[in-house]
Amino acid sequence: MLKSPVELPDCCYANQPVLICPSTPTPKHSLYLSNLDDQKFLRFSIKYLYLFKKPVSSDNLKYSLSRVLVDYYPLAGRLRATAEDDQKFEVDCNGEGAVFAEAFMDITAEDFLQLSNKPNRSWRKLLYRVEALTFLDVPPLVVQVTNLRCGGMILCTAINHCLCDGIGTSQFLQAWAHITAKPNLDLPIAPLHSRHVLKPRNPPKTSFTHPGYTRTNPKDNNTIDMVKFLQSQPLVPTSLTFSASHILHLKRQCVPSLKCTTFEALASHTWRCWVKSLDMSPSLNAKLLFSVSVRKKMNPELPLGYYGNGFVLGCAQTNVKDLVTSNLYHGVKLVQQAKSTLNDEYIRSMIDLLEDKSIKTDLTTSLVISQWSKLGLEDLDFGEGKPLHMGSLTSDIYCLFLPVIGDFDAVRVLVSMPEGIVEKFEYFMKEFWDEEDNADANGNGYHGEDI
């Protein structure tokens, strides 16, 4: 059996990757992208990795992809700068197609499952690397299907974040799987392409302060930049799975009693442990930036089928001393307050703020958390069963809350930390586990609260 960390064997490509175009002609036009779509923070591809016990025929996957790209034709187009503004992006819906690569790797599904907890650099072999000069030159959708020894299949996708958010990518992948498994049935949700519902007002009207953003100032060299600090060192991924029991224990730490969600409790705990492990100055202002869907917060609500970026980053902030010396209640309250500000007027103010291209996401002393659990990503079924594993192809300094296959109420926390700090971070994250295990062993575990 393979043991983690391990270098994956090389992929064998029998053929060159192909471009999969929509199976019937699609509209040719430019697709406007909203300010939430093309902000600088999102100029990358979301890279998913799925492990399946049984393979699906590559011919079937290519055929169904060509069919679903008729409905999701912008993903077969190409990103470009607009003629009026080279900082503003749009999609050239030209039907050029998505990249589809087929490969074989000499590893079994069981082998990969053993090491699936933490990505390492060799996992990048599982997604074909498109040679491109700039981000704009990479096709919005890149797919690699890797067949494994003794059956099994790994499916990796790279989907341009400027076109879709997590909910949007899940909607697209579910549509592709649906057409593969049930080719004669209509899509359960018809995609909505237009992004004009999130256009800025004219003139723009920024009515609120938005602490998650800052103005680019190239002359300011005195600011502490946590991103540069973290990325200047060798990074090691850490992956910790929190069971329903662990999360319940966290919620019980919110004294005085405070009703909170799983996300609020786990995000606050992760933020606090991250700040503690980095030994940040007590007087620094620490921020937690976390994705919040605005689909039901807009007035009117975003229509069903909207697959563009329909989320913003909520921002909780406090000084380091208060965060690390207070109990979990303090962090949870800050997260709840940040969420409570996100109404229609506040979100439109944020969209208008992003008309100023010198504005960028403030990452200087921020932990960013993106929630991939509870999006239905783990339920993907192309006709041969749901995945044995679903996660990210890579790990970065941005933290992911991932689904746990077979345990809907559990959450896997994945983030990369500097080599010399990762053990400290894991210690703080798991500090209460022994205490909880002892309580359960003594019959004192609490099991009545709804999580």
Side-chain angles (χ1 to χ4, degrees), residues 58-70:
S58 286
D59 286 342
N60 284 353
L61 288 171
K62 284 189 278 192
Y63 174 66
S64 59
L65 182 58
S66 73
R67 283 187 57 195
V68 80
L69 285 175
V70 174

Side-chain angles (χ1 to χ4, degrees), residues 14 64 166 192 195 214 280-281 312 344 427 430:
S64 59
L192 181 76
R195 316 291 164 96
T214 186
M280 292 164 70
S281 167
V312 296
D344 181 80
Y427 170 78
K430 299 191 292 185

Side-chain angles (χ1 to χ4, degrees), residues 199-207 345 348-349 351-352 355:
K199 274 198 91 164
R201 294 167 291 196
N202 189 12
K205 180 182 165 191
T206 307
S207 324
E345 183 60 33
R348 294 202 181 277
S349 170
I351 291 167
D352 290 356
E355 275 293 275

Side-chain angles (χ1 to χ4, degrees), residues 263-313:
F263 177 82
E264 290 162 357
L266 189 53
S268 304
H269 176 64
T270 304
W271 181 30
R272 192 161 166 248
C273 295
W274 184 81
V275 168
K276 278 172 79 172
S277 64
L278 290 169
D279 284 328
M280 292 164 70
S281 167
S283 60
L284 269 181
N285 186 46
K287 295 182 181 181
L288 172 66
L289 305 179
F290 55 97
S291 54
V292 181
S293 173
V294 301
R295 282 167 167 78
K296 294 189 180 299
K297 295 181 182 293
M298 306 301 293
N299 186 17
E301 294 180 1
L302 295 186
L304 182 69
Y306 188 91
Y307 66 95
N309 286 282
F311 82 98
V312 296
L313 291 175

